[in-house]
Amino acid sequence: MAAGGPGDHPLKDILHFNMHVFDDECDAIIRELSGHMSEDAMYDNIDWYATFSMSEAQLADFKAKLSQKLTALKDSRGK
């Protein structure tokens, strides 16, 4: 079982330890998403295991998916 400290999980690293994990834009999207969904929902709805060794193209795709999720959440709250 993980100790829950820095380096254990990218989501915790970004939200709780303010660490730089992916890139500034991606980390910012994740922080903004956390204002629209619970941390548990973020764990359940994002494939964090796929993020451990991403290429630049995969990171771009990951950012696009996070941005789409954020936009959808904002749109649903705006209605």
Side-chain angles (χ1 to χ4, degrees):
M1 180 171 213
D8 283 347
H9 193 279
L11 182 59
K12 289 274 189 196
D13 290 345
I14 292 167
L15 298 181
H16 295 275
F17 302 110
N18 203 31
M19 293 172 64
H20 176 81
V21 175
F22 299 107
D23 66 16
D24 291 341
E25 181 183 10
C26 191
D27 292 356
I29 294 167
I30 291 167
R31 285 186 186 96
E32 190 171 354
L33 266 172
S34 73
H36 296 276
M37 62 192 306
S38 72
E39 196 169 318
D40 287 339
M42 291 180 76
Y43 273 113
D44 293 341
N45 289 294
I46 298 169
D47 184 6
W48 296 103
Y49 293 106
T51 67
F52 286 108
S53 59
M54 290 193 293
S55 67
E56 288 296 318
Q58 290 168 318
L59 177 59
D61 185 53
F62 183 59
K63 275 194 278 194
K65 288 178 182 175
L66 291 173
S67 292
Q68 289 169 352
K69 187 177 291 290
L70 180 59
T71 298
L73 287 168
K74 286 180 174 180
D75 288 349
S76 71
R77 289 187 175 195
K79 293 179 181 178

